[in-house]
Amino acid sequence: MSYTFFKYHGTGNDFVIVDDRKNEFPRENTEYVKEICTRRFGVGADGLMLLAEKEGYDFDMIYYNSDGRPSSMCGNGGRCLAHFAHAVGAMGKSGVFTAPDGEHRATVNGEEVELSMNDVSEIDLRDGDDCVLN
């Protein structure tokens, strides 16, 4: 498999981004995502994001953690993907997109991206760690 990808970083996190508006990336192949994100053997990244089409929105954010598992929302990733969407013409200077946790708004001003995050509705303690539940 061969895909054009872009590498972005935001506040210490790095991401592989693929423009998947034509829905060609193998989204169910989590082992492939894991291979891409593996440092020293793959591209290496904290996560992989797909820029996807979503009716009524500028785009849809599909996010995978570096272990290949789909995840909900990453603020640094969302800022990177909004900047990328703006760069490829999928979003103007500001726009609205969706992620698994709902709707988000983003504004791009040069290299800076302002992003809205959804309110936290519940915090749960699991194995001694705080988990945010939306």
Side-chain angles (χ1 to χ4, degrees), residues 6 9 11 18 28 30 44 51 61 63 66-67 71 89-90 115 118:
F6 298 83
H9 71 89
T11 318
V18 175
E28 303 304 318
T30 57
L51 176 72
M61 174 181 170
Y63 179 73
S66 61
D67 63 4
S71 193
L115 178 70
N118 293 331

Side-chain angles (χ1 to χ4, degrees), residues 77-98:
R79 291 184 316 108
C80 290
L81 193 60
H83 190 276
F84 177 74
H86 174 66
V88 298
M91 180 182 91
K93 184 176 174 159
S94 63
V96 181
F97 69 94
T98 58

Side-chain angles (χ1 to χ4, degrees), residues 54-121:
K54 180 80 170 205
E55 189 174 333
Y57 293 91
D58 292 287
F59 63 92
D60 186 29
M61 174 181 170
I62 299 173
Y63 179 73
Y64 299 89
N65 284 319
S66 61
D67 63 4
R69 291 183 300 171
S71 193
S72 60
M73 176 59 179
C74 171
N76 287 335
R79 291 184 316 108
C80 290
L81 193 60
H83 190 276
F84 177 74
H86 174 66
V88 298
M91 180 182 91
K93 184 176 174 159
S94 63
V96 181
F97 69 94
T98 58
D101 70 331
E103 183 179 289
H104 297 272
R105 297 182 182 283
T107 302
V108 178
N109 186 11
E111 295 300 310
E112 294 185 14
V113 179
E114 193 174 306
L115 178 70
S116 70
M117 296 293 288
N118 293 331
D119 291 338
V120 174
S121 61

Side-chain angles (χ1 to χ4, degrees), residues 10-60:
T11 318
N13 296 122
D14 60 336
F15 306 96
V16 171
I17 296 177
V18 175
D19 185 344
D20 195 38
R21 290 178 286 174
K22 293 183 179 176
N23 197 24
E24 296 174 338
F25 190 87
R27 297 179 184 191
E28 303 304 318
N29 191 343
T30 57
E31 281 302 311
Y32 182 55
V33 172
K34 182 178 178 179
E35 288 174 19
I36 291 170
C37 292
T38 300
R39 298 191 191 280
R40 293 183 298 276
F41 296 104
V43 176
D46 292 317
L48 181 140
M49 292 181 291
L50 302 177
L51 176 72
E53 294 272 332
K54 180 80 170 205
E55 189 174 333
Y57 293 91
D58 292 287
F59 63 92
D60 186 29

